[in-house]
């Protein structure tokens, strides 16, 4: 992304330009504060270095989760969300395709979220674009909101951690609770 033209602008102005540019496109977009992005990244990435007083250890994180997408009249489809390990990309694909193929690499994503971090250090801002393929922009916005709810809220992140690290304790009904 070419950011040199934006360096003289405030974070608020850049956010406005980004959102306005994507408003009429078949995608979603957002401008995210650096601290919010850093927490999301920390919780998504599979491993990160954790320094304690006595040693440096690798701590597991939660790169994958399941998200129900409401569908009329009263049902839902289940999607798998997965962070790409070394990229700032999140993929959402149908659970049935994930189960069929065994990995997200073979699944056609219904939503791809790309995070642009070029302005993180200078403007404390990360720009996000979500490309849709098989969901509406309203559904895509719902999925992005669910990502924030489950990864940024400590109480909901417990459910994500169970899914990734303690599957025997994971209860899909806890995820569905907000749909009811």
């Amino acid at each position: 992304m070419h950011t040199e033209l934006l360096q003289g602008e405030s974070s608020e102005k850049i956010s406005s330009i980004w959102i306005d540019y994507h408003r009429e496109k078949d995608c979603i977009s957002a401008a995210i504060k650096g601290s919010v992005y850093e927490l999301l990244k920390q919780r998504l990435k599979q491993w990160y270095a954790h320094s304690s007083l006595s040693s440096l250890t690798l701590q597991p994180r939660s790169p994958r989760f399941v998200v129900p997408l409401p569908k009329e009249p009263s049902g839902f489809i289940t999607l798998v969300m997965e962070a790409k390990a070394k990229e700032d990309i999140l993929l959402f694909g149908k659970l049935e395709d994930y189960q069929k193929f065994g990995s997200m690499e073979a699944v056609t994503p219904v939503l791809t979220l790309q995070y642009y971090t070029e302005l993180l250090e200078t403007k404390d801002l990360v720009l996000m674009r979500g490309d849709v393929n098989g969901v509406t922009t309203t559904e895509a916005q719902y999925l992005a909101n669910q990502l924030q709810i489950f990864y940024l809220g400590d109480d909901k992140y417990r459910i994500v951690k169970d899914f990734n690290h303690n599957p025997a304790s994971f209860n899909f009904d806890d995820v569905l609770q907000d749909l009811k």
Side-chain angles (χ1 to χ4, degrees), residues 1-3 6 9-25 27-32 113-119 125-131:
M1 190 168 84
H2 302 287
T3 60
L6 299 173
E9 302 291 346
S10 69
S11 295
E12 293 78 17
K13 179 69 173 174
I14 294 168
S15 298
S16 178
I17 291 168
W18 183 258
I19 300 298
D20 289 345
Y21 175 79
H22 291 94
R23 190 175 317 280
E24 300 300 320
K25 301 194 181 307
C27 66
I28 61 171
S29 63
I32 304 161
L113 300 180
Q114 172 75 54
Y115 293 87
Y116 299 93
T117 60
E118 291 86 348
L119 299 170
L125 188 66
V126 173
L127 303 174
M128 184 275 292
R129 175 186 167 109
D131 293 309

Side-chain angles (χ1 to χ4, degrees), residues 1-88:
M1 190 168 84
H2 302 287
T3 60
E4 56 276 352
L5 297 174
L6 299 173
Q7 290 303 325
E9 302 291 346
S10 69
S11 295
E12 293 78 17
K13 179 69 173 174
I14 294 168
S15 298
S16 178
I17 291 168
W18 183 258
I19 300 298
D20 289 345
Y21 175 79
H22 291 94
R23 190 175 317 280
E24 300 300 320
K25 301 194 181 307
D26 194 25
C27 66
I28 61 171
S29 63
I32 304 161
K33 285 245 178 248
S35 59
V36 172
Y37 171 78
E38 290 296 341
L39 177 59
L40 179 64
K41 179 180 168 183
Q42 177 188 19
R43 290 182 170 183
L44 281 167
K45 297 297 179 169
Q46 203 155 15
W47 298 96
Y48 83 105
H50 175 73
S51 178
S52 67
L53 294 176
S54 60
S55 66
L56 184 68
T57 59
L58 291 178
Q59 299 292 316
R61 287 297 173 211
S62 304
R64 195 172 295 112
F65 194 55
V66 288
V67 181
L69 177 62
K71 288 288 190 179
E72 293 296 329
S74 61
F76 63 89
I77 60 170
T78 304
L79 301 176
V80 174
M81 186 277 313
E82 184 173 282
K84 300 298 284 179
K86 295 185 180 185
E87 304 162 22
D88 288 311

Side-chain angles (χ1 to χ4, degrees), residues 73-103:
S74 61
F76 63 89
I77 60 170
T78 304
L79 301 176
V80 174
M81 186 277 313
E82 184 173 282
K84 300 298 284 179
K86 295 185 180 185
E87 304 162 22
D88 288 311
I89 295 175
L90 293 172
L91 302 173
F92 290 80
K94 293 180 181 175
L95 176 62
E96 61 196 46
D97 293 342
Y98 181 81
Q99 290 170 328
K100 178 179 177 183
F101 297 115
S103 80

